Amino acid sequence: MAEHENSSSDKKIKFRSISTTADPNYALNRIEDMYLPRPRSKSEHKFKAKEESDDDDSSPSLWEFLGTELKRSYALENDEEQYSARREKVYSFVKIPGEVESFMLYGFMQCADSFFFVYTFLPIRFVLATWAILSKPFQTCFGVNSSLNAAQICDLLKGCILVVCSFLISYVDTSIMYHLIKSQSVIKLYIFYNMLEVGDRLFSAFGQDVIDALYWTSTEPRDRKREHLGVIPHFLFAVIYVSLHAFLVLCQATTLNVAINASNKALLTIMISNNFVELKGSVFKKFDKNNLFQVACSDIRERFHFFILLLIVVIQTMKEYAWKEEILWVLLPDCLMVIGCEALVDWIKHAFITKFNELPTEVYRDYTLSLAYDMAQTRQKNAFSDHSDLVARRMGFIPLPLGVVMIRVFSMSFRINTLESFIIALVAYFTLHSLCVLNNLRILSKACDLIDRHQQVSINDVCLNEEMLRVGVKTLESIGEDDLLFRSQPNIQMEPGNEPAVPILETEGLQRAESEPSLLTAVNGNSLEM
């Protein structure tokens, strides 16, 4: 029995090593080697003998152990590279909020420009397109070709959608909606608000496809085979979408109004804490530069959306209290708390995403440069579409539903029935126009400055940005006003100057990506329209 136990204890599991080497001093590569004594060198034998002789003389005491623990020194300079890298990570972590806010401010201004366009330039363009239709019979009599271009058709469709949806949403009674929402429990309202937020994102993702389908159906060349339902069905789809999305935004604003004006502020606290739950779903995921760019653009759109919702809440509340100034100072702290928590969550989220995924802080400058290319592209003479559509595709921000809601709120909050009120409304409209123009010039000048600096960096770099130079050379030599544009997503993972060499294509089949306009013409102002 004892022999059997000895034989069983001698058995060991053997695993074949992945690497083979003939070196006898090679590191342990088998399980049984863990049980075998490793051969020592001569120096190790001497050290062992000295250690045994010291043990024979005196055994270590407790006081010696405590003294060693208290007097032990640290040699951090032996790992200087690692500690320097960690210090740089701390500095990068601290720099993230500033970089994020710089990027978001530029994107916020683009969303504001797209939103102001609905109330400033779109009505004027709609009137001009309408006049072109009304004057078409007279121009035809004199032999003048007065066919509408694609931009005029799109402006007519946008104006018609805005008018029809504003008329439909005017039948919604916000007072009944307010009391119906206020009568619900806090938990129900919290679930309802989350459902509205999810629905808003889904509507934004699907809505731009509906609007783009309408634009293409109305402007598609007539000599092609018909592969669509027609302009009227697509127009009805767009009207239904904008009306439903506007109603959803109005429900969001009413729910937020109930949360801010409630006496216990319980719903507002839950809604603010809901922003921090977002950290769990995003911080611990893997992101690359392109994915983080989409998240950052979505955060810009969400922040602007919150700003418009809070503006609606302030207008509705001030109207109910006869525009008393003290009510504004009561609402202001809650509104600032909502915006502040939203910004704080964005800072924490982006700081930890860049830390866990080892992304540099300069990545947000690349994102800002991408938005600058979009802005420069929309100001070309023959642009693919207007800037509002491009912002909608990039950030998921569609201004038409918010425009319908704001028309509904302003029409119920302000009455123009006297000469003084008409003059005030006229002054406010021209002020809005001035603000839109100033904002437009500011973001356009910022775009030109960023593109100019990017071009200088690319030219001075060892590896020239051949793609940008190729586009610029072709623009100067062979691009005409009738060349077509196509959309492409810029590869922001490539650092400036590290783009792969692009072979020279034939001039006849070469096209320019819409998201990367000609740098030379954009900087010189030859293709920008102020």
Side-chain angles (χ1 to χ4, degrees):
M1 185 66 180
E3 294 178 357
H4 178 70
E5 292 179 354
N6 293 332
S7 61
S8 64
S9 62
D10 293 335
K11 293 182 179 179
K12 301 181 180 61
I13 302 175
K14 296 184 179 181
F15 292 89
R16 181 175 296 177
S17 174
I18 297 177
S19 60
T20 58
T21 178
D23 189 3
N25 296 326
Y26 188 71
L28 299 177
N29 55 11
R30 294 183 301 175
I31 293 295
E32 66 270 16
D33 291 340
M34 299 172 62
Y35 301 96
L36 297 178
R38 184 172 60 88
R40 295 190 181 95
S41 61
K42 295 181 179 180
S43 60
E44 289 178 338
H45 279 293
K46 293 180 181 179
F47 179 78
K48 184 65 176 179
K50 183 178 179 181
E51 185 180 11
E52 291 177 354
S53 62
D54 293 340
D55 292 341
D56 295 338
D57 295 340
S58 61
S59 60
S61 63
L62 177 61
W63 298 110
E64 292 179 355
F65 172 75
L66 294 178
T68 304
E69 290 295 325
L70 293 176
K71 297 179 181 180
R72 185 173 67 245
S73 62
Y74 302 102
L76 300 181
E77 62 274 6
N78 294 334
D79 202 1
E80 180 180 357
E81 184 178 355
Q82 178 182 358
Y83 286 104
S84 299
R86 292 187 177 183
R87 183 174 59 186
E88 291 299 326
K89 287 184 179 180
V90 174
Y91 293 162
S92 300
F93 191 89
V94 175
K95 292 178 183 178
I96 286 297
E99 297 291 339
V100 170
E101 284 302 312
S102 177
F103 165 71
M104 287 196 172
L105 179 60
Y106 189 71
F108 189 91
M109 294 173 66
Q110 284 195 358
C111 290
D113 182 54
S114 178
F115 183 70
F116 290 155
F117 178 82
V118 177
Y119 304 105
T120 55
F121 291 102
L122 181 59
I124 299 176
R125 293 173 66 95
F126 178 77
V127 171
L128 294 177
T130 305
W131 173 253
I133 292 180
L134 296 178
S135 61
K136 184 176 180 179
F138 300 98
Q139 295 178 359
T140 305
C141 295
F142 293 98
V144 180
N145 187 9
S146 59
S147 60
L148 297 178
N149 54 31
Q152 291 175 329
I153 296 175
C154 293
D155 293 334
L156 283 173
L157 292 175
K158 287 181 183 178
C160 292
I161 291 174
L162 196 64
V163 172
V164 174
C165 294
S166 300
F167 177 76
L168 294 177
I169 204 69
S170 63
Y171 287 97
V172 178
D173 194 343
T174 55
S175 60
I176 296 178
M177 183 188 300
Y178 178 84
H179 291 289
L180 181 62
I181 295 176
K182 189 177 182 180
S183 62
Q184 305 299 321
S185 61
V186 176
I187 300 300
K188 287 183 179 180
L189 289 181
Y190 173 69
I191 297 174
F192 180 65
Y193 185 80
N194 286 337
M195 293 173 59
L196 291 176
E197 187 174 359
V198 173
D200 176 59
R201 295 184 180 183
L202 295 178
F203 268 123
S204 299
F206 179 71
Q208 189 59 38
D209 294 336
V210 175
I211 296 178
D212 285 342
L214 173 62
Y215 294 160
W216 176 240
T217 303
S218 59
T219 59
E220 186 179 8
R222 302 303 177 186
D223 55 348
R224 298 184 180 180
K225 182 181 179 181
R226 178 168 177 171
E227 298 178 353
H228 53 80
L229 299 176
V231 178
I232 295 179
H234 280 280
F235 179 79
L236 294 178
F237 290 158
V239 168
I240 293 173
Y241 154 70
V242 174
S243 300
L244 292 178
H245 198 175
F247 178 75
L248 186 143
V249 173
L250 194 60
C251 291
Q252 275 187 307
T254 307
T255 307
L256 188 60
N257 194 358
V258 172
I260 291 179
N261 291 299
S263 57
N264 54 4
K265 306 293 183 181
L267 179 59
L268 182 62
T269 304
I270 294 176
M271 292 170 58
I272 292 176
S273 63
N274 191 32
N275 292 330
F276 292 91
V277 181
E278 182 184 356
L279 296 176
K280 181 180 179 181
S282 58
V283 168
F284 302 104
K285 293 182 179 179
K286 183 175 180 57
F287 289 91
D288 56 9
K289 287 186 177 181
N290 286 323
N291 294 335
L292 183 58
F293 183 44
Q294 297 175 0
V295 173
C297 290
S298 177
D299 291 337
I300 294 175
R301 181 257 174 198
E302 185 177 1
R303 184 177 296 189
F304 186 83
H305 189 76
F306 262 111
F307 181 81
I308 297 298
L309 291 181
L310 291 174
L311 180 61
I312 294 174
V313 170
V314 170
I315 293 176
Q316 289 181 337
T317 306
M318 293 287 291
K319 181 248 182 182
E320 294 296 330
Y321 287 93
W323 301 96
K324 294 182 179 179
E325 183 181 355
E326 55 270 16
I327 301 299
L328 178 62
W329 300 113
V330 174
L331 294 174
L332 192 60
D334 293 334
C335 297
L336 293 178
M337 183 170 57
V338 173
I339 294 294
C341 291
E342 184 71 21
L344 179 62
V345 169
D346 290 338
W347 296 348
I348 298 175
K349 179 174 65 175
H350 286 273
F352 279 101
I353 286 177
T354 53
K355 172 181 172 57
F356 292 153
N357 296 275
E358 298 182 354
L359 297 175
T361 57
E362 292 78 10
V363 68
Y364 293 97
R365 300 177 187 176
D366 297 337
Y367 298 162
T368 308
L369 182 63
S370 179
L371 297 183
Y373 278 126
D374 291 342
M375 177 54 58
Q377 179 62 43
T378 58
R379 291 305 184 271
Q380 290 187 358
K381 185 175 182 180
N382 291 325
F384 179 80
S385 61
D386 60 25
H387 55 286
S388 61
D389 295 332
L390 197 58
V391 171
R393 296 186 186 95
R394 179 69 71 189
M395 301 183 186
F397 172 70
I398 305 177
L400 286 180
L402 280 179
V404 171
V405 173
M406 290 302 296
I407 291 175
R408 171 71 174 82
V409 172
F410 274 94
S411 63
M412 296 298 296
S413 302
F414 301 97
R415 298 293 182 182
I416 304 177
N417 47 16
T418 60
L419 180 61
E420 292 79 5
S421 61
F422 177 77
I423 294 176
I424 293 175
L426 194 61
V427 171
Y429 182 73
F430 282 111
T431 304
L432 183 63
H433 255 288
S434 302
L435 183 62
C436 179
V437 172
L438 289 176
N439 181 62
N440 201 330
L441 293 176
R442 175 66 183 130
I443 58 179
L444 188 58
S445 62
K446 178 72 173 179
C448 294
D449 183 45
L450 290 174
I451 293 174
D452 188 23
R453 281 187 289 177
H454 181 263
Q455 182 187 13
Q456 295 298 327
V457 170
S458 300
I459 292 178
N460 294 331
D461 196 16
V462 176
C463 299
L464 294 180
N465 190 342
E466 297 185 14
E467 173 65 19
M468 297 299 177
L469 294 178
R470 179 180 63 84
V471 172
V473 171
K474 181 184 182 304
T475 302
L476 293 178
E477 294 179 355
S478 59
I479 289 182
E481 295 183 355
D482 298 331
D483 284 346
L484 298 177
L485 302 176
F486 70 95
R487 166 167 295 279
S488 67
Q489 297 294 335
N491 188 359
I492 57 178
Q493 288 183 334
M494 293 184 181
E495 300 294 336
N498 294 333
E499 293 82 353
V502 178
I504 301 177
L505 303 179
E506 296 294 335
T507 306
E508 182 179 357
L510 189 62
Q511 290 178 326
R512 185 173 68 252
E514 182 190 355
S515 59
E516 295 180 352
S518 171
L519 294 181
L520 300 179
T521 55
V523 174
N524 295 332
N526 295 332
S527 61
L528 300 180
E529 293 182 356
M530 301 297 292

